Amino acid sequence: MYIRKLAAGELPPMDLLLSADPSHLKVEAYLKRGECYAAFDEEGAAGVYVLLPTRPDTAELVNVAVAEVHQGKGLGKQLVLHAIQLAATQGYKTIEVGTGNSSISQLALYQKCGFRIVGVELDYFTKHYPEVIYENGMICRDMLRLTRDL
């Protein structure tokens, strides 16, 4: 398994990206603004993330997704740690991430990687997505914002 930035003109793994964010419009928008990195095995893309510059000295990690067959094997953690290291080498001082209130395993992963909860955007998902998102038996309603100093 290796992680690399997608080359200019290379198609991103939309199936993976849409598994983490069901809004095609939002995914397309941040693909234009950020850098897409994917983890590959002999079968193709196994995981993906996008790193977005947001403010001076700050990057946001968006759309961390791992193919179902690779889940539970540490690839998500590898992707998050790769993004943290990359952001640091690119000179960012802070990396941020947002996740849904119902994204229990993702929330745990980010905290294990050194992120801390700094805020909640109430009703983010119910206001910005036309379809109700269910995860872990509950409605994904609020966005939890986390940050980590680099």
Side-chain angles (χ1 to χ4, degrees):
M1 191 85 56
Y2 62 96
I3 301 171
R4 68 168 174 80
K5 180 180 176 180
L6 296 186
E10 186 175 6
L11 293 176
M14 288 301 287
D15 55 334
L16 283 175
L17 292 164
L18 291 170
S19 73
D21 186 335
S23 171
H24 201 278
L25 290 174
K26 289 185 186 302
V27 171
E28 289 289 341
Y30 57 66
L31 281 172
K32 290 178 186 171
R33 294 186 5 221
E35 297 178 334
C36 186
Y37 291 81
F40 292 91
D41 65 7
E42 52 282 341
E43 303 293 319
V48 67
Y49 74 84
V50 178
L51 193 64
L52 288 175
T54 54
R55 296 183 303 281
D57 299 325
T58 303
E60 183 174 2
L61 172 60
V62 297
N63 203 307
V64 179
V66 174
E68 197 170 322
V69 67
H70 293 287
Q71 291 178 6
K73 300 176 183 175
L75 181 55
K77 186 172 186 177
Q78 281 182 278
L79 290 166
V80 172
L81 294 175
H82 186 272
I84 290 167
Q85 182 180 22
L86 179 67
T89 61
Q90 291 182 353
Y92 292 105
K93 305 289 184 226
T94 304
I95 187 168
E96 300 176 331
V97 67
T99 194
N101 62 284
S102 57
S103 301
I104 306 302
S105 59
Q106 294 91 328
L107 183 58
L109 169 63
Y110 297 135
Q111 291 179 90
K112 288 176 187 177
C113 291
F115 286 85
R116 298 189 62 199
I117 298 170
V118 293
V120 178
E121 292 183 48
L122 296 175
D123 295 315
Y124 177 87
F125 293 99
T126 54
K127 288 179 182 175
H128 294 94
Y129 288 80
E131 302 289 324
V132 175
I133 301 169
Y134 288 94
E135 188 178 33
N136 294 312
M138 63 184 119
I139 296 175
C140 182
R141 197 179 306 272
D142 306 320
M143 180 182 290
L144 303 177
R145 303 293 301 166
L146 298 93
T147 189
R148 177 187 159 148
D149 292 333
L150 300 173

